[in-house]
């Protein structure tokens, strides 16, 4: 296998490869760009016009998606997968990956869309570097199709194990076709966002015009302990995207895909913040109207008043000013186009 196919090994070892460009026997070019960053270019005759950004390790301890990208890249470097798409593979936070931690100094996934300019330190520099890498990858050619999957795992167990978060931009509708593709890739639910955010997928969606998603793929575990997460459908879908084949097999449908929208984000304002849910509560647990969810300084209280409300990402340990939970409600999908 080509040495650049071992991007994960190189990244975990903190090694810069001596040969930065390698060609597979079928003419696919691999180019190492930076720590954890590798561009794949198919031969011109096979290029189908898709620019596919695949990222994982934005949170360093979320290993199942990192291992998935490693398998895809090795498949290409072994000449087993034959790309028709241009692809940028990114391991988001190499230092956090080496430490097995979510982040080093601060959450990288809160620093995009220029938010890094208001900050400093390790993750702020990395967010700026990642933005540059992606801008250069997508380039100025607006005739090509831009697609970004930012792969994650969640901190806690979930009643719906594999789900997507679909970013938001003023005046832009969410795409039914993209959701059909996600359904075929084993995604069971999609959360339609309704406000701007500083995550990586929100950046590529709103600033760079890509179709972009954060994919949550089970519970975060250490390297080599991901056998309980079945990513076969997603892996098949990514093989198809990479090779320029149709992901949806048969008639496209959203049947079985659960849609939600954000009702409220619970923001932690102070050290007095209290979240009144069991420590082991699962994502997508339903909360009854009247439930006192959280309290904070100045008698701030979050009481559930939505029918069919569910909670995701409850985390009272986030820094002040950050999101400590999201309350979501079922969505009919009326705004899809
Ligand atoms: O499990 C948790 O509590 C957090 C999981 C996580 O990191 N989720 C992403 C979602 C990104 C998005 O909103 O698109 C994050 O919070 O960064
Ligand atoms: Zn994550």
């Amino acid at each position: 296998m080509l040495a650049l196919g071992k991007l994960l090994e190189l990244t975990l070892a903190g090694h810069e490869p001596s040969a930065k460009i390698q060609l597979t026997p079928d003419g696919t070019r691999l180019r190492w760009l930076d720590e954890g960053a590798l561009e794949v270019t198919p031969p011109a005759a096979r290029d189908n016009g898709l620019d596919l950004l695949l990222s994982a390790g934005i949170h360093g301890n979320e290993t199942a998606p990192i291992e998935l990208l490693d398998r895809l890249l090795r498949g290409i470097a072994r000449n087993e997968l034959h790309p028709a798409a241009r692809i940028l593979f990114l391991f988001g936070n190499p230092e956090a990956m080496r430490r097995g931690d979510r982040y080093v100094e601060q959450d990288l996934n809160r620093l995009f869309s220029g938010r890094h300019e208001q900050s400093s330190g390790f993750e702020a520099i990395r967010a700026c570097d990642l933005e540059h890498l992606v801008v250069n990858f997508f380039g100025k050619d607006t005739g090509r199709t831009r697609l970004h999957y930012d792969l994650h795992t969640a901190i806690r167990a979930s009643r719906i194990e594999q789900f997507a978060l679909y970013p938001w931009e003023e005046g832009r509708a969410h795409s039914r076709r993209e959701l059909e593709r996600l359904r075929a890739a084993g995604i069971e639910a999609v959360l339609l966002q309704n406000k701007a955010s500083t995550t990586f997928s929100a950046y590529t969606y709103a600033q760079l015009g890509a179709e972009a998603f954060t994919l949550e793929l089970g519970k975060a575990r250490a390297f080599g302990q991901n056998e309980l997460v079945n990513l076969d459908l997603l892996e098949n879908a990514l093989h198809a995207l990479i090779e320029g084949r149709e992901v949806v097999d048969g008639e496209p449908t959203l049947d079985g895909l659960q849609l939600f929208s954000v009702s409220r984000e619970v923001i932690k304002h102070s050290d007095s913040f209290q979240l009144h849910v069991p420590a082991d509560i699962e994502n997508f647990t339903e909360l009854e109207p009247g439930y006192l969810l959280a309290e904070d300084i100045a008698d701030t209280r979050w009481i559930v008043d939505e029918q069919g409300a569910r909670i995701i990402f409850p985390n009272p340990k986030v820094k002040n000013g950050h999101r400590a939970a999201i309350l979501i409600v079922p969505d009919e999908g009326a705004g899809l186009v």
Side-chain angles (χ1 to χ4, degrees):
M1 181 180 64
L2 298 178
L4 290 179
K6 298 181 184 172
L7 180 69
L8 178 57
E9 255 178 70
L10 290 167
T11 307
L12 290 176
H15 282 165
E16 183 170 334
S18 45
K20 304 280 191 293
I21 295 181
Q22 291 184 321
L23 281 180
T24 67
D26 80 345
T28 301
R29 189 184 68 165
L30 309 188
R31 183 159 71 110
W32 188 91
L33 301 171
D34 192 355
E35 189 172 37
L38 189 130
E39 178 193 68
V40 174
T41 310
R46 215 168 50 216
D47 187 338
N48 70 350
L50 173 64
D51 289 345
L52 177 63
L53 168 58
L54 297 175
S55 53
I58 289 288
H59 295 130
N61 61 338
E62 299 178 357
T63 61
I66 295 172
E67 290 174 350
L68 170 56
L69 293 199
D70 181 50
R71 288 196 294 277
L72 295 177
L73 183 52
R74 283 170 183 265
I76 295 169
R78 286 198 192 101
N79 205 31
E80 293 164 0
L81 268 177
H82 304 287
R86 290 179 68 237
I87 311 161
L88 178 60
F89 284 95
L90 289 180
F91 292 129
N93 195 335
E95 183 54 30
M97 284 165 55
R98 290 190 277 270
R99 296 177 189 206
D101 289 334
R102 183 170 168 87
Y103 55 79
V104 180
E105 293 169 347
Q106 56 177 325
D107 192 333
L108 178 59
N109 216 19
R110 303 291 175 273
L111 291 170
F112 291 95
S113 295
R115 181 58 65 89
H116 52 79
E117 287 163 15
Q118 299 163 26
S119 191
S120 60
F122 181 81
E123 272 91 5
I125 294 169
R126 185 66 175 169
C128 183
D129 291 346
L130 291 174
E131 286 188 1
H132 283 129
L133 284 162
V134 176
V135 165
N136 288 336
F137 172 66
F138 284 141
K140 293 192 172 61
D141 184 350
T142 48
R144 298 181 63 88
T145 302
R146 299 174 174 181
L147 178 62
H148 177 198
Y149 290 147
D150 184 32
L151 311 184
H152 288 248
T153 52
I155 293 169
R156 58 187 58 246
S158 186
R159 293 191 179 179
I160 299 176
E161 200 187 36
Q162 297 187 24
F163 59 100
L165 297 104
Y166 199 164
W168 173 91
E169 185 187 2
E170 181 75 57
R172 182 171 169 194
H174 291 125
S175 156
R176 174 178 293 270
R177 177 166 179 264
E178 292 299 333
L179 299 193
E180 289 163 353
R181 196 141 67 178
L182 288 177
R183 179 192 169 279
I187 297 298
E188 305 158 81
V190 178
L191 175 58
L192 305 168
Q193 306 271 28
N194 46 28
K195 74 179 189 51
S197 147
T198 53
T199 63
F200 196 21
S201 63
Y203 167 68
T204 57
Y205 183 78
Q207 311 283 321
L208 304 181
E211 283 294 351
F213 300 87
T214 302
L215 302 188
E216 296 286 351
L217 304 169
K219 189 171 185 300
R221 294 187 178 81
F223 280 117
Q225 293 178 20
N226 291 308
E227 64 284 345
L228 292 174
V229 195
N230 186 339
L231 299 180
D232 290 353
L233 285 175
L234 177 61
E235 198 155 345
N236 287 341
L238 291 173
H239 283 183
L241 275 174
I242 287 171
E243 295 198 316
R245 290 181 279 109
E246 196 47 66
V247 171
V248 179
D249 193 14
E251 198 57 34
T253 175
L254 293 183
D255 283 359
L257 184 72
Q258 300 184 67
L259 298 181
F260 297 92
S261 56
V262 176
S263 176
R264 284 185 276 167
E265 287 194 341
V266 178
I267 307 295
K268 173 179 174 180
H269 290 295
S270 79
D271 293 343
S272 309
F273 180 84
Q274 287 178 283
L275 192 61
H276 300 303
V277 294
D280 60 354
I281 191 170
E282 294 176 336
N283 285 328
F284 291 95
T285 297
E286 288 192 34
L287 299 174
E288 294 299 322
Y291 187 95
L292 174 60
L293 178 59
E295 292 176 274
D296 207 339
I297 43 160
D299 292 330
T300 312
R301 288 154 66 87
W302 280 266
I303 298 171
V304 176
D305 57 16
E306 299 88 343
Q307 290 294 334
R310 299 181 184 217
I311 189 168
I312 60 167
F313 302 153
N315 184 0
K317 295 188 185 141
V318 294
K319 291 183 180 160
N320 294 346
H322 281 211
R323 179 187 80 196
I326 311 181
L327 268 181
I328 60 173
V329 290
D331 189 285
E332 299 294 318
L336 299 178
V337 293

